[in-house]
Amino acid sequence: MTRFQAPKGVSEYLPPNSALFDRVLWNLQNVALSAGYQLIELPIFEDTELFTRGVGESTDVVTKEMYTFEDRGGRSLTLRPEGTAGVMRAVIEHGLDRGQLPVKLFYRGPFFRAERPQAGRYRQFYQFGIEAIGVDDPILDSEVIAIADRGFRRLGLKNYSLQITSLGDSESRSKHRQDFLSFLSKLNLDDETRARVQKNPLRILDDKREAIQKSLIDAPRLLDYLSDESRQKFEVLQQALTRLEIPFEINPRMVRGLDYYTGTAFEFVHRGLGAQSSIGGGGRYDGLMETLGGQSLSGIGFGLGIDRIILALQDEGLAENNPGYIDLYLVPIGEAARGISLPMIEKVRGAGFVADLAFGERSLKGAMKAADKLAARYVLVLGDDEITSGSARLKRMSDGTELSITLDSLVQALEQATAR
Ligand code: HAM
């Protein structure tokens, strides 16, 4: 046995799996970049109080899971358990909210929670996240959700669903809180649970004990208490998702593990992952910025669990030959084709696709092998016949299906072929 081992419950990526890890991040990042989000790179540790205030004192994350330590100057620091509080701290500190709104940011990196390790649950895990700050618009909520969905689809994932709910505004929540507390007062709860309920009554929905869950079946649901404004926003979000052809389910019992959520909340759940099935989640946070000393601006974002996305890709058999890395691979045969191949590929790249071509005078067989190795989703073979007729066949590599297209409509054909 080797003398040193990695600490318990950390996730690590060694070759060849590290390529998949990189590919997942790369794809998610490209989707965020295409919607105007910009990278923000932040420290791994922050003042402990940023999280106790931002994430919420009654949450499991703050009460049980933080890696907190004192530095040599006696300051209390904590390894970041999530990304939103740090992003807000940086936005306020550097005045990013004084320019054009919304401020659109993305981040990726390790996060730390001292949880009981199991498959899909680690003490050091990786997230890719985005935040759009400063505009309260349900269409922006739908954009944030659409970015996660497009990211998952780009990676080839299919076996997942989107759950949404609304936690309403403060008016909705205070009306619900009264009825919910009076419902809870009739239950036989232990002292510790009662104390938690006082801080944030909704936390009890997160309680894993079966008896508690049973006793909550008839509890008043927040979704039934939404103010007119909150209900209308929730309806606009649903219409927007329908127009984007993103299927969703409404889950009125969804509990997010962090206290800052208001209004829209959502989770992506993968059906092949067992207990740790949430591959990403997020929502709107109205009061967070003000709580942390900034202006009163709303924001919305998500965090996607990279480790769980990789498990999901493995579950769907997509880990080996992960489609999506290269959308189109062009194989030019002959001089005429070689002459027009790069301008053609550049046009496809310009439309947002990842595209490459077989350089050098390769045989068709060698080029097809390369396409396979690169995990290209589509291949186009371009020879003299295709140039003369102006039409060609676009081959889908996953099942060999061929689509007849005109060379002029290559970009549109790819757009249609890669849509849901
Ligand atoms: P969260 O739901 O706590 O949200 O985490 C987001 C995702 O990170 C989860 O859906 C899961 O995939 C992954 N994750 C969380 N904990 C672990 C763990 N111990 N091991 C492996 N994966 C894990 C947030 O963190 C919010 N900051 C998201 C957000 C951004 N909301 C608004 N903006």
Side-chain angles (χ1 to χ4, degrees):
M1 200 171 114
T2 50
R3 180 148 139 55
F4 293 112
Q5 291 176 340
K8 197 170 166 215
V10 300
S11 63
E12 301 185 290
Y13 295 94
L14 317 175
N17 273 352
S18 51
L20 181 59
F21 175 81
D22 195 37
R23 200 178 297 173
V24 169
L25 279 174
W26 189 87
N27 275 289
L28 296 176
Q29 216 160 277
N30 274 335
V31 174
L33 284 167
S34 77
Y37 289 75
Q38 294 180 295
L39 174 68
I40 184 163
E41 190 66 44
L42 294 175
I44 304 258
F45 53 82
E46 297 267 5
D47 277 348
T48 300
E49 207 185 332
L50 176 69
F51 301 117
T52 44
R53 284 232 200 146
V55 172
E57 272 170 307
S58 66
T59 58
D60 278 357
V61 169
V62 167
T63 53
K64 301 183 199 155
E65 297 169 1
M66 294 210 300
Y67 283 99
T68 298
F69 60 98
E70 219 174 72
D71 74 359
R72 286 165 201 268
R75 287 170 285 257
S76 179
L77 298 173
T78 292
L79 297 184
R80 60 185 188 185
E82 62 94 51
T84 312
V87 169
M88 288 322 245
R89 191 268 308 143
V91 167
I92 299 167
E93 185 178 341
H94 303 290
L96 298 188
D97 54 331
R98 304 231 180 82
Q100 184 61 34
L101 299 177
V103 184
K104 287 177 153 189
L105 303 166
F106 76 84
Y107 52 90
R108 71 276 198 266
F111 292 85
F112 306 85
R113 295 183 193 174
E115 301 197 75
R116 202 167 44 77
Q118 62 183 88
R121 190 161 75 183
Y122 310 106
R123 292 179 171 174
Q124 173 173 324
F125 57 97
Y126 291 86
Q127 271 189 11
F128 174 83
I130 72 173
E131 311 290 346
I133 302 147
V135 176
D136 185 3
D137 177 354
I139 301 294
L140 183 59
D141 300 16
S142 71
E143 174 183 272
V144 167
I145 291 175
I147 287 173
D149 186 64
R150 189 144 59 90
F152 293 143
R153 278 192 288 126
R154 233 194 128 97
L155 292 165
L157 288 176
K158 288 202 176 69
N159 195 16
Y160 67 89
S161 60
L162 164 66
Q163 301 187 351
I164 62 169
T165 191
S166 171
L167 303 174
D169 49 18
S170 50
E171 183 195 332
S172 325
R173 280 194 305 282
S174 69
K175 269 204 271 166
H176 171 259
R177 188 186 159 98
Q178 278 177 4
D179 286 2
F180 194 58
L181 279 174
S182 105
F183 176 88
L184 293 180
S185 69
K186 293 177 204 121
L187 300 183
N188 186 16
L189 301 175
D190 57 82
D191 290 347
E192 196 188 327
T193 311
R194 217 164 264 296
R196 272 183 99 197
V197 161
Q198 282 311 317
K199 283 194 196 146
N200 179 351
L202 289 179
R203 279 266 85 79
I204 196 169
L205 296 172
D206 211 7
D207 201 305
K208 304 286 178 300
R209 289 170 291 183
E210 209 172 303
I212 299 253
Q213 282 304 325
K214 259 197 189 145
S215 65
L216 292 173
I217 285 172
D218 294 325
R221 302 184 325 173
L222 181 48
L223 215 44
D224 298 327
Y225 287 74
L226 294 189
S227 64
D228 288 346
E229 196 186 333
S230 289
R231 186 171 322 110
Q232 206 223 342
K233 281 185 180 153
F234 192 43
E235 272 161 21
V236 173
L237 169 68
Q238 292 175 56
Q239 280 163 12
L241 291 174
T242 306
R243 287 204 184 108
L244 288 163
E245 297 180 40
I246 299 176
F248 61 87
E249 294 156 17
I250 295 175
N251 176 4
R253 295 178 67 91
M254 184 193 307
V255 200
R256 303 281 300 128
L258 314 160
D259 267 356
Y260 47 64
Y261 291 111
T262 57
T264 302
F266 58 91
E267 252 172 40
F268 286 89
V269 177
H270 194 270
R271 299 187 193 92
L273 289 191
Q276 306 304 319
S277 59
S278 170
I279 51 176
R284 190 163 272 288
Y285 39 86
D286 281 340
L288 179 60
M289 194 160 186
E290 218 175 352
T291 306
L292 298 178
Q295 320 184 48
S296 163
L297 287 180
S298 179
I300 176 152
F302 64 59
L304 310 183
I306 303 303
D307 314 276
R308 292 188 192 169
I309 292 173
I310 287 173
L311 292 173
L313 287 167
Q314 285 162 349
D315 180 73
E316 292 198 39
L318 297 164
E320 291 302 314
N321 194 11
N322 188 21
Y325 193 52
I326 288 195
D327 295 307
L328 177 70
Y329 192 66
L330 183 71
V331 182
I333 308 283
E335 272 318 298
R338 280 166 57 76
I340 61 166
S341 58
L342 192 56
M344 215 164 145
I345 276 294
E346 278 286 296
K347 212 161 138 193
V348 171
R349 289 172 179 163
F353 291 101
V354 184
D356 205 352
L357 63 98
F359 290 102
E361 285 175 47
R362 288 226 180 143
S363 69
L364 181 59
K365 202 170 153 204
M368 291 311 282
K369 240 189 203 161
D372 241 359
K373 276 210 178 120
L374 290 165
R377 295 173 82 178
Y378 289 88
V379 170
L380 189 80
V381 178
L382 190 67
D384 290 342
D385 287 352
E386 283 77 15
I387 294 175
T388 313
S389 68
S391 61
R393 282 208 284 267
L394 190 62
K395 182 170 178 183
R396 185 161 69 199
M397 295 301 277
S398 58
D399 58 4
T401 315
E402 292 192 334
L403 298 168
S404 289
I405 61 153
T406 63
L407 294 179
D408 287 342
S409 66
L410 175 58
V411 167
Q412 289 95 309
L414 274 172
E415 272 163 1
Q416 273 174 14
T418 52
R420 183 184 288 282

